[in-house]
């Protein structure tokens, strides 16, 4: 049930467990995209490898935003359609050819822009936390 003064847009980042007690999730929207680009900058990988390495960057296996394999492949196909990654079939264990993804130069440029945006966000968050900690004792 929504509170009448609840005017949020998009997924909730906070909720009241009971009056005066909050669950809050700090998150970066669409953070899976830059995480995938970074992993692919490190080396070409297939989908299962990417899925295995994503929690290192976007949270643990119990993380509420954990991506499933179907969602991962849809995102990879979209990145490929935009020319940010390319893929090719490669031989795997007997009978298991896998599609391996590689970052393109355009994908590297986008990753650079993500890094710039994340640095700015980090600076904003650091300023918030400094102010919070400075005024915490009042």
């Amino acid at each position: 049930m929504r509170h009448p003064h609840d005017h949020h847009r998009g997924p909730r980042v906070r909720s009241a467990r009971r009056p005066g007690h909050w669950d809050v999730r700090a998150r970066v929207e669409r953070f899976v995209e830059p995480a995938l680009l970074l992993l692919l900058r490190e080396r070409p990988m297939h989908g299962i490898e990417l899925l295995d390495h994503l929690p290192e960057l976007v949270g643990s296996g119990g993380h509420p935003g954990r991506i499933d394999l179907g969602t991962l492949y849809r995102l990879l196909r979209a990145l490929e359609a935009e020319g940010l990654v390319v893929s090719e079939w490669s031989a795997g264990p007997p009978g298991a050819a896998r599609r391996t993804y590689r970052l393109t130069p355009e994908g590297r440029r986008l990753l650079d822009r993500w890094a710039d945006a994340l640095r700015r966000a980090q600076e904003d968050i650091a300023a918030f936390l400094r102010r919070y900690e400075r005024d915490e004792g009042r």
Side-chain angles (χ1 to χ4, degrees):
M1 182 169 141
R2 288 184 61 179
H3 189 276
H5 301 291
D6 185 12
H7 299 289
H8 75 282
R9 287 179 174 38
R12 299 273 322 222
V13 294
R14 67 176 171 84
S15 60
R17 288 186 289 156
R18 60 183 189 275
H21 297 272
W22 297 91
D23 284 326
V24 177
R25 290 186 300 132
R27 63 190 193 142
V28 177
E29 294 297 325
R30 292 191 47 160
F31 191 65
V32 170
E33 179 178 292
L36 285 173
L37 297 174
L38 179 58
L39 289 169
L40 292 173
R41 185 185 75 171
E42 293 170 357
R43 67 180 172 86
M45 292 187 207
H46 57 80
I48 299 296
E49 286 179 292
L50 289 165
L51 194 64
D52 289 344
H53 289 287
L54 272 174
E56 299 164 11
L57 298 172
V58 298
S60 67
H63 188 272
R66 173 128 167 100
I67 190 168
D68 63 60
L69 195 56
T71 301
L72 173 66
Y73 282 120
R74 281 190 295 279
L75 179 54
L76 287 167
R77 280 193 302 274
L79 292 172
E80 190 166 22
E82 293 180 75
L84 302 168
V85 303
V86 293
S87 67
E88 62 187 20
W89 286 101
S90 58
R98 294 182 175 175
R99 186 174 290 275
T100 300
Y101 295 86
R102 178 176 49 81
L103 195 62
T104 65
E106 185 65 20
R108 284 179 180 264
R109 286 189 287 280
L110 178 59
L111 177 59
D112 292 343
R113 297 296 72 77
W114 267 110
D116 291 342
L118 290 168
R119 280 187 202 98
R120 287 190 304 274
Q122 183 180 32
E123 291 167 4
D124 293 345
I125 292 167
F128 173 89
L129 291 172
R130 281 192 303 274
R131 186 167 181 168
Y132 169 79
E133 290 162 359
R134 180 187 72 214
D135 293 339
E136 189 176 20
R138 291 184 185 181

